[in-house]
Amino acid sequence: MVTKHEHSHEHTKDVILCCEDLVIGYDGKPMLPPVDFQVRRGTFLAVIGRNGSGKSTWFKTLLGLLPPVSGRVYRSSPHVKSAYVPQTSGIDALLPVRAGELVRWGRMSGWNFMWPFGARGDRRAVEQALDTAGALPIAHRPYRELSEGQKQRALLARVLATKADLVLLDEPTAAMDAVAERETMKRLADLAHEHGLAVVVVSHDLRVAAESADQLLFVDRETRSVVLGDADTVFCHPAFRRQYGDEYCPRHPPSGHPRGPTVG
């Protein structure tokens, strides 16, 4: 089954990232059908699917780490700034650093040997980013000693310090407990809505993603499906229900037999 979505928006000035007939895969072999969609300022998109469904490949293609099999990914403007936040485990191997110093790295473009601590504007930007991300109380603590939720707040502060327009996060709540996971996803939604960022997250928790994200992008290599929409649209789609059953769909039939609408 191939599901393709095309979305047009009145306010094209808000579009940051565009996927045009995008087909992902390896060595010229497609994993999923072509998809068209746009990521806009002030929106929070969560990418979901089972292990091996194509989430990581799709994400790496967005980041430019993998070339598309066909189609293209492009920024709406050469001035769009993007930032990538890996899983917190990817930072632990770095040299010992305090949370505030990690955030300052986001302002390294203004660093030079004549003024190693950055300009006054940089220091203000770092402090503001720490405060907005809820990381100001942990600024002087070693990053390695922070909890997973605190580490994620420090990484989010670093993103804010870069003044990025587009933020891509790879399973930011991995290894977090349920409370920290919900708090982090809510904070990401707030950052998108209140600061006009475009936030794209690969998520493993379906319910938490549905609670916080404006849209879900479900990818499924097995059924060759790509489904984009709100939680009800995605969770009631036959391809999603084939993988996860009916428990997530609020309008599934009592008999449990698939009867959801086909999108696209």
Side-chain angles (χ1 to χ4, degrees), residues 57-194:
T57 304
W58 189 87
F59 200 61
K60 289 176 182 177
T61 306
L62 280 195
L63 286 167
L65 301 177
L66 285 175
V69 173
S70 62
R72 61 175 182 152
V73 180
Y74 64 95
R75 309 287 193 267
S76 60
S77 164
H79 304 295
V80 168
K81 293 178 65 177
S82 60
Y84 168 55
V85 181
Q87 293 185 25
T88 54
S89 59
I91 307 293
D92 290 346
L94 296 175
L95 293 174
V97 61
R98 298 185 186 278
E101 294 167 348
L102 182 71
V103 176
R104 267 192 290 277
W105 290 354
R107 305 289 296 182
M108 283 296 282
S109 60
W111 183 91
N112 63 69
F113 72 94
M114 293 292 291
W115 189 241
F117 298 106
R120 184 177 301 172
D122 288 332
R123 294 197 295 273
R124 282 200 301 267
V126 168
E127 185 172 337
Q128 183 180 19
L130 285 163
D131 186 39
T132 301
L136 200 55
I138 61 173
H140 299 291
R141 292 182 57 188
Y143 177 81
R144 284 184 174 181
E145 295 179 5
L146 302 179
S147 69
E148 292 303 315
Q150 290 169 332
K151 287 178 181 179
Q152 199 61 53
R153 287 200 291 274
L155 292 176
L156 292 177
R158 182 173 181 267
V159 166
L160 290 173
T162 68
K163 303 296 184 182
D165 305 291
L166 171 66
V167 183
L168 301 142
L169 304 99
D170 184 9
E171 297 205 16
T173 60
M176 288 186 188
D177 60 42
V179 173
E181 185 173 28
R182 278 183 162 78
E183 288 178 351
T184 297
M185 293 293 275
K186 183 181 183 303
R187 191 174 296 275
L188 288 172
D190 291 343
L191 291 177
H193 301 153
E194 297 173 12

